[in-house]
């Protein structure tokens, strides 16, 4: 989809088509003193000059619908073209199933185009039929597992039409392929947050699942972030879940110095301090020690942040005294 199709074999300019000679093209108006004039091809100018003309006339015809198709081919991100196409589809009573097929073909060429995904969503809403959406988005994510627009459309379809049944299995397959796929971790949270819920049983199952993934790749920020998210739903908090704290201390004991592990232990220490539940593992001195280690060795790119955090723990001691140690 671009402005470079004027060499298409057999293309006839609209200005040379007898069935369009009743339309006066409307050139683009950039004002009297345009700062930057965009260099369009002759084909692009021809198509969009005629599109502006039928838009001004508010013409609702089959030829107008075909014109929008040519306009989309040249610029598939043009909101006005898609909006007018939707108006034409309604007015003409066009077969929406064939339109779904057309939009799918555009998505395959421009998978990160918001306007085409929005057009697809409107069609599905009109038809009240989401039967193709999981396959379509699944294929898009197979080519690009982090395609934001595909994920957004998939989440909309799942939530709107209650398509949760096999989504955990889909996410599992993505995480098996790439355990660092942050989008898949986000989708896993989305499923539990909107469907299965956060019962204590689900929380503990997800904790076990996540710890297994962390064992596999310890330096995986996505899994550590997901673990934090799960523990927000555990009434015991970060420092009260013995399985998690034992797991972290075992990793540390075995010389794992992933910055995400150290940062997690710091958060556990901070929560323990605030709850006045410090112990030999989780206290102010431990937090300061880990902040220093991150600043000087394990996460030097964020040295200033860890130094700031260490100073904050130091101030906490000054204000609250040695009881926080």
């Amino acid at each position: 989809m671009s402005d470079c199709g004027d060499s298409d074999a057999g293309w006839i300019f609209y200005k040379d088509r007898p069935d369009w000679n009743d339309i006066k093209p409307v050139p683009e108006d950039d004002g009297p003193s345009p700062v930057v004039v965009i260099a369009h091809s002759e084909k692009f100018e021809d198509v969009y000059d005629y599109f502006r003309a039928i838009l001004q006339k508010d013409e609702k015809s089959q030829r107008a619908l075909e014109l929008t198709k040519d306009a989309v081919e040249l610029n598939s991100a043009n909101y006005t073209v898609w909006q007018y196409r939707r108006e034409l589809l309604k007015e003409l009573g066009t077969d929406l199933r064939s339109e779904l097929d057309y939009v799918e073909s555009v998505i395959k060429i421009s998978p990160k185009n918001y306007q085409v995904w929005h057009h697809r969503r409107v069609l599905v809403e009109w038809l009240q039929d989401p039967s193709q959406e999981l396959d379509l988005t699944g294929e898009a994510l197979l080519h690009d597992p982090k395609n934001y627009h595909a994920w957004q459309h998939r989440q909309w379809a799942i939530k709107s039409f209650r398509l949760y049944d096999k989504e955990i299995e889909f996410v599992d397959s993505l995480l098996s392929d790439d355990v660092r796929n942050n989008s898949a971790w986000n989708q896993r949270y989305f499923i539990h947050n909107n469907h299965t819920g956060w019962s204590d049983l689900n929380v503990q199952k997800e904790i076990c699942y996540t710890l297994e993934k962390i064992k596999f790749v310890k330096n995986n920020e996505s899994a550590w972030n997901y673990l934090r998210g799960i523990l927000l739903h555990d009434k015991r908090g970060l420092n009260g879940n013995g399985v998690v704290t034992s797991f972290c201390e075992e990793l540390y004991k075995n010389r794992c110095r992933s910055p995400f592990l150290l940062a997690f232990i710091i958060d556990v220490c901070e929560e323990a301090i605030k709850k006045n539940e410090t112990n030999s593992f989780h206290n102010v001195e431990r937090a300061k020690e880990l902040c220093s280690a991150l600043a000087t060795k394990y996460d030097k790119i964020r040295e200033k942040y860890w130094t700031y955090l260490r100073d904050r723990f130091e101030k906490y001691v000054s204000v609250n005294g040695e009881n926080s140690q």
Side-chain angles (χ1 to χ4, degrees):
M1 305 287 171
S2 66
D3 178 13
C4 57
D6 39 346
S7 63
D8 293 355
W11 172 261
I12 301 173
F13 288 95
Y14 278 84
K15 64 185 178 182
D16 297 327
R17 300 183 187 188
D19 54 331
W20 282 87
N21 60 16
D22 61 310
I23 299 294
K24 182 179 180 181
V26 177
E28 185 174 12
D29 182 4
D30 288 326
S33 304
V35 177
V36 179
V37 178
I38 299 174
H40 294 306
S41 69
E42 186 180 1
K43 177 179 178 179
F44 188 99
E45 291 179 355
D46 179 67
V47 169
Y48 274 88
D49 287 356
Y50 277 83
F51 173 71
R52 280 185 286 271
I54 60 133
L55 190 63
Q56 285 187 8
K57 286 185 60 180
D58 195 29
E59 178 180 318
K60 299 296 196 302
S61 65
Q62 187 62 37
R63 72 174 184 175
L65 186 64
E66 291 302 317
L67 175 60
T68 62
K69 202 170 189 177
D70 288 332
V72 164
E73 182 180 331
L74 292 164
N75 180 9
S76 60
N78 189 308
Y79 172 83
T80 305
V81 172
W82 285 111
Q83 176 59 33
Y84 196 63
R85 186 172 178 85
R86 285 190 287 276
E87 293 176 16
L88 290 165
L89 291 171
K90 271 196 168 183
E91 183 75 20
L92 301 174
T94 306
D95 176 20
L96 297 182
R97 301 286 173 185
S98 63
E99 184 71 6
L100 280 178
D101 293 339
Y102 165 65
V103 171
E104 182 176 347
S105 69
V106 180
I107 285 173
K108 287 178 179 178
I109 297 171
S110 302
K112 292 187 175 181
N113 180 340
Y114 170 77
Q115 302 302 342
V116 67
W117 284 106
H118 176 69
H119 189 69
R120 177 88 186 188
R121 174 171 172 169
V122 172
L123 295 175
V124 173
E125 286 177 332
W126 286 352
L127 289 166
Q128 283 297 292
D129 179 8
S131 59
Q132 300 177 46
E133 303 319 291
L134 296 187
D135 286 343
L136 176 67
T137 53
E139 184 178 349
L141 294 169
L142 183 64
H143 296 290
D144 180 2
K146 300 180 182 181
N147 183 332
Y148 169 79
H149 300 294
W151 278 116
Q152 185 182 51
H153 186 81
R154 189 179 184 90
Q155 288 192 351
W156 165 78
I158 288 172
K159 193 171 183 179
S160 299
F161 297 97
R162 309 298 295 174
L163 305 177
Y164 292 99
D165 289 350
K166 296 182 180 179
E167 193 62 8
I168 281 289
E169 288 88 341
F170 176 73
V171 170
D172 281 344
S173 69
L174 291 178
L175 291 175
S176 294
D177 291 338
D178 177 12
V179 75
R180 292 183 174 87
N181 186 338
N182 190 59
S183 299
W185 284 106
N186 178 72
Q187 185 74 349
R188 193 174 188 91
Y189 191 88
F190 168 83
I191 298 161
H192 287 295
N193 211 41
N194 291 282
H195 181 56
T196 55
W198 295 106
S199 66
D200 188 60
L201 177 61
N202 281 344
V203 169
Q204 302 317 310
K205 283 171 64 178
E206 284 302 293
I207 286 172
C208 292
Y209 176 88
T210 308
L211 297 185
E212 286 300 314
K213 295 298 184 184
I214 291 174
K215 279 183 190 176
F216 178 61
V217 179
K218 300 174 182 65
N219 201 33
N220 178 8
E221 185 175 11
S222 298
W224 284 105
N225 286 340
Y226 186 73
L227 181 62
R228 278 187 177 83
I230 299 166
L231 290 170
L232 291 174
H233 302 280
D234 189 330
K235 55 182 177 289
R236 289 165 291 190
L238 293 179
N239 72 315
N241 190 300
V243 172
V244 174
T245 53
S246 296
F247 173 83
C248 292
E249 294 307 329
E250 188 65 24
L251 285 181
Y252 189 85
K253 179 182 175 182
N254 289 324
R255 300 185 180 279
C256 174
R257 294 298 182 267
S258 162
F260 309 117
L261 167 65
L262 303 189
F264 188 86
I265 296 175
I266 290 170
D267 288 345
V268 173
C269 290
E270 184 170 21
E271 186 178 280
I273 293 163
K274 288 178 179 178
K275 290 182 177 179
N276 199 25
E277 296 175 354
T278 56
N279 54 44
S280 57
F281 288 110
H282 307 131
N283 52 60
V284 171
E285 285 306 313
R286 179 90 183 284
K288 286 164 55 183
E289 174 191 332
L290 293 176
C291 285
S292 295
L294 284 161
T296 59
K297 189 173 183 180
Y298 301 112
D299 193 18
K300 290 195 287 186
I301 196 169
R302 295 196 294 170
E303 175 188 356
K304 291 184 178 179
Y305 170 74
W306 295 118
T307 301
Y308 159 78
L309 206 58
R310 186 191 182 286
D311 292 345
R312 198 176 76 180
F313 282 117
E314 187 67 56
K315 288 176 183 177
Y316 187 90
V317 174
S318 301
V319 172
N320 296 278
E322 296 183 0
N323 289 336
S324 58
Q325 303 293 310

